[in-house]
Every structure is written in C-alpha cells, then in structure tokens.
C-alpha cells in the first residue's frame, strides 16, 4: 500500500475591500533568461544522466503566484533570496535565515515551508509557490490578513507575512481549530514583540468567518 | 549568510545518485530536505564542492507494508509519516514522534532518511527507531545491507553508513495487539529540537504483566540510546504507576556522557530524562490498556 502526499490547489482569498499596503505589491520584474542555455538544460534533462548545474548562474523557471517567472540564479541561491533579490517579492522576510523563525514562510504546493532553507533551483521543478503577494487580488486583503488587522495581531509587523502564510496553510487543513491547535500549528513562527495572543485570536476569528460559525 | 558555491546535481534514480557519490566522494554532500545541511553550509561549517539533491528520486518516497513490516522510503517527509493511516494504525510510535519534530515548516520538507543519516544528538526519530528495533537499509554500488537501529548510531553526527552509501529505507515492525506507544519530549522552544525526548513501546501480556518494553532516549547524550536498565526493571512485572516511576529512575546509566549546553545543564538533562521517560511509559501503558496500539 503506497501512499502519496496530499496536494492542494493554490489559494485565492476573497477580499473585503480593505486596501493593501503598497510595499506588499509585487512589481512583476522578471529577469530574462538565456534561451540557449535553457534549451541545453532541457536537452540534458531528457537524457539518462541529469545535467551538472553550476556553480555559476543558471536559468530557472519558478511558478510563483500562478505565473511562470524566469530568473538566473547560482545553485546556492535560496528560494528566499530569489524571491527578494531577483523578483522583488519582499513580503517573505529574511530574519534568522536558518529555518527557525518562520518570517520567510511561503507555500509550496499549498504547504507551509521555510523559503530560506530551500534552494531556488530545487523549487524549479514545477511546484506551485505562493507568497503573501499572491494571497489576494491587488488592493484586497485575504480574510486571514484582514483578521490580523482587526485583532491588532502585530506590533512591528516584520514577522506578520510569515504568520499569515502559515495560518492560511493551516486553516485549509483544519478549518475549525481550537486555540491550542493554532498554537501548535504556528509553532514554527516566532514574534519578538510577543503578539502571540493577538495572532491566535486572529486565526480563530478568520476560521469562524470562513465557516460561518464553529461547530 | 550564503553558502560557498557548489555544483548541483539532481539525479532521478538511486543508481545515478550512487554513481555521482562514488565519483565525487568526500567532496559531495547529499541533500535530503536540507533543514540540517543548508544551515550548516550557510555557517560554512560545511562547504561541499558538490551537492547531490536526492529530492527527485521519487522511488525513495513511499510507505508500504511488506512481509509483516512497514517500509518507509528515505525521502518520505515527516508530514507524510505523521499523516500515514498505515503507520497510525500499525506502528503509531513513528507518527507520534513525527508530530513532535520541529514545526510544520520543518515537517513539510525534512525527511526521515535525511534526519537519521545526519544523526543530530537532539533529533527525534533516533529515539523511536531504537525503541522499535527498526532496520535501516543502506545502498551502495556493491548492493544493499541492512543495519539494526542499535548499531546505526555511532556518535554525535556519526552513523555506521560508509563512504559511498546512501540510506534508502527504514523498516519498522507492525506492532502486536496489546501494545501501547508514546513519544514525550521537552522542546527547545525556538528550534523545536529535543532537550530530552523519550520514546516508549510497551506490550502487556496476561494478568497485566509487561511482556515486552523498549525505551529510546534522545537529546541526553552524544547519541541516542536504549534505556536497557529501565526495560529490565519493567519486564515480566505487573504494570503500575509506581513501577513505571521506579523504573524510569534508571533512564541515565552511569557510563552515559551527558550533553550540556546553554539550554540545559547535564544535571537538568539527567533529571528531565527521568521525568520524560516516566511520562512516555505512562502514556504507552494507558494506550496498551485501552487496547489502542
């Protein structure tokens, strides 16, 4: 009996009319990739032996927020650095940079992951990457983001995008959580301002709204 | 923090990965999730010239029942272990342990093979695979060999894997009726690593006697170990809370070199090893009594 991991669809949040902050907007700047190099790479991939890549820059295509994005990165570039430094998607934050604090959380095929602890080239296999910029249409807030605003679930706000992404992934898995479950589910996200109570309220509130009431 | 530059290989088969590992030898590191390796590379504690990413070898990602045991491919993530109905029903200690690993982001990317091969003294799985008498399969160009969990962990960050070998599979038993299991852990709050982690497996026989018991401890010493003295103090005796508490006092044998760091002194670790061994045994007993496995 073999089991396959669950796959989830990319989220599209419903908005509630609140305006998003300008700095969360993706600028959409794509780095043009060397077409010839890409073709070499594709040809090599169809052969039996996989290609040697790097250590210099190589062209890759990432699927981010529903769009293919081409960029050129060294193999050592993390997904987080690719997002922030190559694609101007700065919603995911670089804080600990060692897979502990959760500020860089993005979704990979619907699951919360640390963008700082994955190589960009490893994320270029057609997986769907969702960042905070892709959570809701422009000028709108995802219900989870809106609940964070309403419950004042942030102080300096630097960890907030990571918390929101982890919460969005969790609520799709468990739309009806208790406070205790939310605490465990967001255990990978740290807030130095100590806004955990507000965050828990916001996530439970977002869940209630999503369900129209908790059973 | 940026790792030193490296060549990146992403083989699609185990055979290709073994060829690459043979060719590059000690200049290569295997990537199997990366939640230990990438931070080490960023800190330049590791600077491999070549990284072999095993993530595209889909043939190493499975959980299936074979010959009365459950075989888990090395590239299976902690989340897949946690969610597996097969393991939850037939060998729940592994999902119980996976539930306590790091946090959701780590569980979604970290793999059982990567964790075991890295052999961090504060990792969770080592306690469970020891308590389960798991088998660990290693492949090389010359074929495969099967190691017992008890001989796999050699020292801090050191396993019995030889150069040129890749850990491919972990096999755990289908637990018999009347067995209860539990993993109890004192977390380091930021990283989620175990300051102390205790995995217990307890089978009740006739008259409420402990027929078989195994306890694995992690976080306490440079490598995870079986608490043999605890097991001896319980086997064949009628299970009671008092008995468990007395047995748990033997969790740290004299010859164990205790870890000590800024999170917990050796003395504190020793005290907590006793406490968490007792708690794991109590939970395992309660589950065995309620006929849950």
């Amino acid at each position: 009996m073999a089991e396959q991991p669950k796959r989830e669809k990319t989220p599209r949040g419903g908005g509630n009319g609140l305006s998003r902050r300008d700095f969360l907007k993706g600028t959409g700047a794509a780095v043009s990739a060397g077409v010839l190099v890409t073709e070499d790479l594709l040809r090599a991939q169809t052969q039996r032996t996989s290609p040697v890549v790097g250590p210099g820059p190589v062209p890759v295509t990432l699927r981010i927020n529903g769009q293919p994005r081409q960029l050129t990165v060294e193999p050592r570039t993390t997904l987080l650095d690719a997002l922030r430094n190559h694609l101007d998607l700065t919603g995911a934050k670089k804080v600990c940079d060692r897979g502990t604090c959760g500020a860089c959380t993005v979704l990979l095929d619907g699951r919360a992951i640390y963008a700082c602890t994955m190589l960009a080239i490893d994320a270029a296999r057609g997986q769907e990457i969702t960042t905070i910029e892709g959570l809701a249409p422009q000028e709108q807030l995802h219900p989870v983001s809106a609940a964070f605003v309403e419950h004042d679930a942030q102080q300096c706000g630097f960890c907030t995008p990571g918390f929101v992404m982890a919460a969005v992934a969790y609520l799709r898995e468990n739309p009806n959580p208790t406070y205790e479950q939310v605490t465990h589910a967001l255990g990978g996200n740290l807030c130095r301002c100590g806004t955990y109570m507000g965050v828990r309220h916001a996530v439970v509130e977002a869940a209630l709204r999503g369900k129209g009431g908790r059973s | 923090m940026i790792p030193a530059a490296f060549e990146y290989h992403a083989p699609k088969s185990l055979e290709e990965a073994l060829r690459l590992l043979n060719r590059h030898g000690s200049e290569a590191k295997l990537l199997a999730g990366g939640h230990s390796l990438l931070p080490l590379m960023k800190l330049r504690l590791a600077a491999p010239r070549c990284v072999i990413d095993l993530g595209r070898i889909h043939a190493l990602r499975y959980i299936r029942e074979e010959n009365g045991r459950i075989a888990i491919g090395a590239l299976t993530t902690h989340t897949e272990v946690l969610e597996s109905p097969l393991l939850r029903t037939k060998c729940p200690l592994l999902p119980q342990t996976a539930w306590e690993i790091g946090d959701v982001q780590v569980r979604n990317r970290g793999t059982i093979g990567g964790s075991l091969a890295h052999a961090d003294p504060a990792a969770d799985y080592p306690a469970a695979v020891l308590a389960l008498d798991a088998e660990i399969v290693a492949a090389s160009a010359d074929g495969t060999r099967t190691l017992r969990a008890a001989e796999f962990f050699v020292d801090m960050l050191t396993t019995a894997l030889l150069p040129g070998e890749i850990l491919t599979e972990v096999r755990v038993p289908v637990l018999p009726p009347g067995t209860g299991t539990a993993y109890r852990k004192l977390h380091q709050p930021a990283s989620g690593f175990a300051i102390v982690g205790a995995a217990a497996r307890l089978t009740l026989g006739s008259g409420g006697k402990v027929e078989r018991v195994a306890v694995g401890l992690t976080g306490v010493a440079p490598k995870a170990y079986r608490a043999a003295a605890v097991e001896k103090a319980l086997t064949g005796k009628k299970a009671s809370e008092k008995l468990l508490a007395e047995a748990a006092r033997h969790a740290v044998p004299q010859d164990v070199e205790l870890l000590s760091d800024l999170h917990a002194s050796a003395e504190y670790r020793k005290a907590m090893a006793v406490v968490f061994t007792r708690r794991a045994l109590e939970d395992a007993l309660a589950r065995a009594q309620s006929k849950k496995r």
Side-chain angles (χ1 to χ4, degrees), chain B residues 12-72:
Chain B
K12 294 195 184 70
S13 70
L14 177 63
E15 293 69 31
E16 194 186 341
L18 288 169
R19 275 203 304 275
L20 285 164
L21 188 57
N22 262 338
R23 192 189 313 154
H24 296 282
S26 61
E27 293 190 310
K29 278 278 180 196
L30 299 173
L31 183 68
H35 282 63
S36 297
L37 180 60
L38 289 180
L40 285 176
M41 287 169 62
K42 287 180 182 180
L43 294 166
R44 305 285 174 116
L45 294 171
R49 199 182 57 73
C50 144
V51 168
I52 304 169
D53 185 352
L54 303 179
R56 287 178 207 211
I57 308 178
H58 301 300
L60 288 182
R61 201 166 169 178
Y62 54 83
I63 301 172
R64 60 191 174 217
E65 194 168 351
E66 282 174 356
N67 310 320
R69 293 177 86 82
I70 300 166
I72 302 150

Side-chain angles (χ1 to χ4, degrees), chain A residues 1-7 45 47-56 74-78 81 94 96-100 102 105 108 111-114 116-119 121-122 124-125 127 162 166 173 184-185 187-190, chain B residues 1-12 16 19 23 31 33-36 38-39 42-44 51 53 55-56 58 61-65 79-80 83-87 99-100 102-109 189-191:
Chain A
M1 170 176 155
E3 295 174 28
Q4 291 299 320
K6 277 195 284 187
R7 285 288 155 101
Q45 276 168 355
Q47 292 164 2
R48 270 195 72 230
T49 304
S50 305
V52 181
V53 179
E74 293 179 7
R76 61 175 163 172
T77 305
T78 61
D81 283 343
K94 191 171 192 170
C96 78
D97 203 21
R98 61 178 73 175
T100 295
T105 301
L108 186 81
R111 301 266 198 189
I113 62 144
Y114 291 133
C116 75
T117 310
M118 180 171 198
L119 299 174
I121 199 167
D122 187 18
R125 296 187 247 161
Q127 306 103 307
E173 219 170 87
H184 186 267
N189 294 72
L190 304 178
Chain B
M1 295 190 296
I2 298 169
F6 55 82
E7 257 177 32
Y8 177 83
H9 300 260
K12 294 195 184 70
E16 194 186 341
R19 275 203 304 275
R23 192 189 313 154
L31 183 68
H35 282 63
S36 297
L38 289 180
K42 287 180 182 180
L43 294 166
R44 305 285 174 116
V51 168
D53 185 352
R56 287 178 207 211
H58 301 300
R61 201 166 169 178
Y62 54 83
I63 301 172
R64 60 191 174 217
E65 194 168 351
T79 299
E80 285 158 11
E83 293 178 347
S84 162
L86 183 63
L87 284 170
W99 170 250
E100 296 287 346
D103 45 56
V104 65
Q105 290 94 331
V106 170
R107 293 193 292 272
N108 282 340
R109 293 277 302 153
S191 70

Side-chain angles (χ1 to χ4, degrees), chain A residues 25-97:
Chain A
K25 289 179 192 167
T27 60
V31 181
S32 65
V35 175
L36 285 173
V37 186
T38 309
E39 282 175 356
D40 282 348
L41 207 66
L42 284 173
R43 203 174 304 124
Q45 276 168 355
T46 60
Q47 292 164 2
R48 270 195 72 230
T49 304
S50 305
V52 181
V53 179
V58 286
V60 295
T61 302
L62 300 176
R63 280 199 64 79
I64 300 174
N65 301 328
Q67 300 290 323
R69 303 288 298 268
Q70 295 182 327
L71 62 158
T72 304
V73 293
E74 293 179 7
R76 61 175 163 172
T77 305
T78 61
L79 175 58
L80 179 63
D81 283 343
L83 292 171
R84 294 182 56 83
N85 302 344
H86 294 255
L87 298 170
D88 281 343
L89 292 168
T90 53
K93 299 289 185 277
K94 191 171 192 170
V95 181
C96 78
D97 203 21

Side-chain angles (χ1 to χ4, degrees), chain B residues 113-137:
Chain B
S115 172
L116 291 174
H118 182 60
D120 192 298
D124 299 289
Y125 276 138
V129 298
L130 282 169
L132 289 168
D133 289 315
E135 291 170 348
I136 293 166
V137 181

